[in-house]
């Protein structure tokens, strides 16, 4: 099965459309790892499109905060402003859709979550964090499978635990494709569709071929001008537009 894995769409309709067009019919199913809204100015359009396409979606911390702004108390002041704006403009039906999402999902290959399997707000960025989660996967306490897909950091990443139990980040090659070994364990982040932070403004996603045991990272260019225009017109912080240009 070919699974397209998208994360952190963040109300960026132009980026989402560009990714779906790049994907074409290249996947059997599409998985959205959360943060469908927040930061950018097309929350309803993005929720509508994700629902129309029939993506398997899980909740991100911005999705949860848009339904319950008290959860945004720890957000930075710009992100907090975006949460309040998003809550204001979201149609009731779309708020209910976001509120219905679960925080993680299990599959034959392993599991999918936004931040970590236990938390939508925790970041999986450091070696000790990756090692702790991979150990849980290896000892079977998180169910079957050897792959955990995660988002939240907005950065493409692969952590690998080999048969000795050694954990290391895996270099993503030029062609974007990594082969997975059935005896190893992996944490894989596709990067962000709507607000990439790896220093490259292109939208990032991946295709996980569960039969071939490969993940292929893809970068997609899109026209930033309409997205930026909508951010400014909505009165959202200009900082959100600048970070799209810089890819940070
Ligand atoms: Fe996010």
């Amino acid at each position: 099965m070919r699974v397209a894995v998208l994360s952190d769409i963040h109300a960026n309709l132009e980026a989402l459309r560009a990714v779906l067009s790049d994907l074409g019919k290249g996947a059997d199913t599409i998985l959205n790892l959360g943060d469908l809204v927040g930061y950018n100015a097309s929350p309803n359009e993005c929720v509508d499109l994700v629902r129309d396409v029939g993506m398997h979606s899980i909740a991100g911390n911005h999705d949860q905060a848009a339904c319950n702004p008290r959860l945004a108390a720890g957000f930075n002041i710009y992100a907090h402003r975006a949460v309040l704006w998003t809550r204001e403009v979201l149609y009731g039906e779309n708020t209910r859709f976001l509120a219905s999402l679960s925080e993680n999902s299990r599959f034959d290959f392993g599991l999918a979550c936004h931040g970590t399997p236990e938390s939508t707000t925790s970041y999986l960025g450091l070696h000790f964090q990756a090692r702790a989660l991979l150990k849980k996967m290896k000892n079977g306490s998180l169910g079957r499978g050897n792959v955990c897909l995660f988002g939240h950091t907005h950065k493409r990443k692969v952590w690998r635990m080999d048969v000795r139990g050694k954990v290391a980040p895996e270099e993503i090659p030029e062609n974007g494709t990594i082969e997975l070994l059935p005896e190893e364990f992996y944490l894989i982040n596709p990067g962000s569709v709507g607000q990439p932070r790896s220093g490259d403004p292109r939208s990032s996603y991946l295709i996980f071929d569960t039969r071939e045991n490969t993940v292929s990272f893809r970068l997609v260019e899109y026209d930033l001008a309409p997205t930026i225009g909508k951010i400014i017109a909505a009165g959202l912080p200009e900082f959100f537009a600048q970070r799209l240009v810089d890819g940070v």
Side-chain angles (χ1 to χ4, degrees):
M1 185 169 69
R2 285 167 64 84
V3 185
V5 186
L6 282 55
S7 190
D8 295 277
I9 294 164
H10 280 298
N12 186 336
L13 181 64
E14 294 71 29
L16 177 58
R17 280 185 179 148
V19 163
L20 291 176
S21 151
D22 182 76
L23 175 62
K25 297 198 184 308
D28 304 301
T29 185
I30 307 178
L31 192 49
N32 155 33
L33 301 179
D35 276 5
L36 186 39
V37 300
Y39 296 126
N40 299 303
S42 303
N44 282 306
E45 296 85 343
C46 286
V47 177
D48 287 345
L49 184 50
V50 162
R51 295 176 70 190
D52 285 351
V53 169
M55 287 186 203
H56 181 112
S57 294
I58 59 175
N61 56 322
H62 284 254
D63 305 322
Q64 294 174 323
C67 302
N68 179 0
R70 276 179 303 173
L71 297 175
F75 283 25
N76 72 52
I77 197 69
Y78 299 112
H80 187 264
R81 209 165 119 195
V83 164
L84 298 184
W85 180 86
T86 301
R87 180 168 175 79
E88 195 72 25
V89 302
L90 264 184
Y91 306 144
E93 191 189 339
N94 284 339
T95 305
R96 285 191 289 280
F97 171 77
L98 293 179
S100 74
L101 302 177
S102 59
E103 294 192 354
N104 55 60
S105 286
R106 289 176 191 278
F107 301 90
D108 286 344
F109 63 74
L111 66 161
C113 60
H114 183 65
T116 69
E118 293 90 11
S119 160
T120 56
T121 55
S122 297
Y123 286 94
L124 237 176
L126 301 173
H127 187 275
F128 80 93
Q129 297 166 319
R131 188 162 178 273
L133 177 51
L134 285 161
K135 274 176 82 173
K136 282 188 197 171
M137 290 167 66
K138 192 175 185 182
N139 72 25
S141 59
L142 293 175
R144 63 180 169 181
N146 67 333
V147 173
C148 175
L149 301 167
F150 71 104
H152 193 42
T153 65
H154 296 210
K155 292 177 179 174
R156 311 195 312 172
K157 192 78 185 178
V158 176
W159 290 98
R160 181 171 74 102
M161 177 183 261
D162 69 18
V163 287
R164 300 167 301 170
K166 296 283 181 196
V167 173
E170 182 88 8
E171 193 77 33
I172 298 169
E174 193 76 21
N175 71 3
T177 298
I178 290 177
E179 266 185 55
L180 309 183
L181 301 176
E183 65 273 23
E184 296 188 333
F185 291 82
Y186 300 89
L187 309 177
I188 302 173
N189 188 324
S192 169
V193 170
Q195 194 192 76
R197 295 179 190 163
S198 296
D200 186 324
R202 289 178 292 177
S203 288
S204 183
Y205 78 103
L206 65 81
I207 297 171
F208 177 18
D209 190 321
T210 60
R211 192 172 304 163
E212 298 291 324
N213 252 334
T214 58
V215 283
S216 299
F217 286 87
R218 296 190 59 85
L219 292 167
V220 184
E221 203 162 347
Y222 69 99
D223 183 10
L224 295 175
T227 313
I228 288 172
K230 288 183 202 171
I231 290 170
I232 306 299
L236 287 164
E238 285 184 30
F239 166 62
F240 295 158
Q242 189 58 48
R243 70 189 303 179
L244 288 182
V245 174
D246 298 336
V248 293

